[in-house]
């Protein structure tokens, strides 16, 4: 790869927008949902599905239903995304968004996979 092309690619990478936000994974069989926030949403659906396919997701109930119903029984949705360059701490900002969706959707018990607040 020539030097000019390499410089162009580096510049294009620097200019890419990074999004933070909240996602919802819905079990279409049971209607249970999983809400999570991430400081970088890039490829998050692929990473999340790979974790579940490999049996490595930390949420045991979600992992069990993934095994039972299969990956085709889950729908991925970005609930909200924002430009990470516009905040000082994208992880903190993402957690604040997540709190809002947890309060609104209440994905606990029979309705979801998240643990209820203490």
């Amino acid at each position: 790869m020539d030097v000019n092309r390499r410089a162009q690619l580096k510049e294009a990478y620097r200019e890419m927008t990074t999004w933070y936000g909240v996602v919802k994974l819905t079990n279409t069989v049971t209607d249970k949902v999983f809400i999570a926030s991430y400081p970088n949403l890039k490829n998050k659906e692929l990473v999340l599905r790979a974790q579940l396919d490999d049996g490595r997701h930390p949420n045991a109930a979600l992992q069990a239903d993934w095994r039972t119903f299969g990956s085709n029984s889950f729908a991925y949705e970005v609930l909200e995304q924002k430009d990470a360059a516009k905040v000082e701490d994208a992880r903190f900002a993402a957690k604040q968004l997540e709190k809002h969706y947890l309060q609104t959707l209440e994905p606990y018990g029979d309705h979801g996979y998240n643990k209820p607040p203490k």
Side-chain angles (χ1 to χ4, degrees):
M1 176 181 312
D2 72 21
V3 176
N4 289 335
R5 179 67 180 144
R6 183 178 170 103
Q8 288 173 338
L9 291 173
K10 279 184 177 180
E11 185 60 28
Y13 180 78
R14 272 188 232 117
E15 292 177 4
M16 286 176 54
T17 302
T18 300
W19 301 97
Y20 71 91
V22 178
V23 301
K24 177 172 78 168
L25 194 61
T26 304
N27 181 329
T28 58
V29 176
T30 65
D31 288 328
K32 289 176 75 171
V33 299
F34 175 70
I35 304 295
S37 63
Y38 300 101
N40 186 349
L41 291 177
K42 182 178 180 184
N43 298 325
K44 191 47 66 179
E45 179 177 10
L46 297 174
V47 171
L48 188 57
R49 287 183 178 276
Q51 277 184 321
L52 289 159
D53 285 341
D54 294 344
R56 298 181 291 114
H57 197 276
N59 186 302
L62 175 60
Q63 185 67 66
D65 279 0
W66 187 271
R67 284 193 190 117
T68 300
F69 299 110
S71 63
N72 291 334
S73 297
F74 287 83
Y76 177 89
E77 177 184 357
V78 175
L79 295 176
E80 188 168 351
Q81 67 180 18
K82 295 190 175 194
D83 187 345
K86 295 183 179 182
V87 296
E88 191 171 315
D89 185 349
R91 184 175 307 278
F92 178 77
K95 284 293 180 191
Q96 295 307 305
L97 284 177
E98 180 181 2
K99 283 181 185 179
H100 165 73
Y101 283 99
L102 290 173
Q103 290 172 349
T104 304
L105 301 175
E106 298 183 344
Y108 313 116
D110 293 338
H111 302 291
Y113 299 102
N114 295 81
K115 293 182 180 176
K118 295 177 182 178

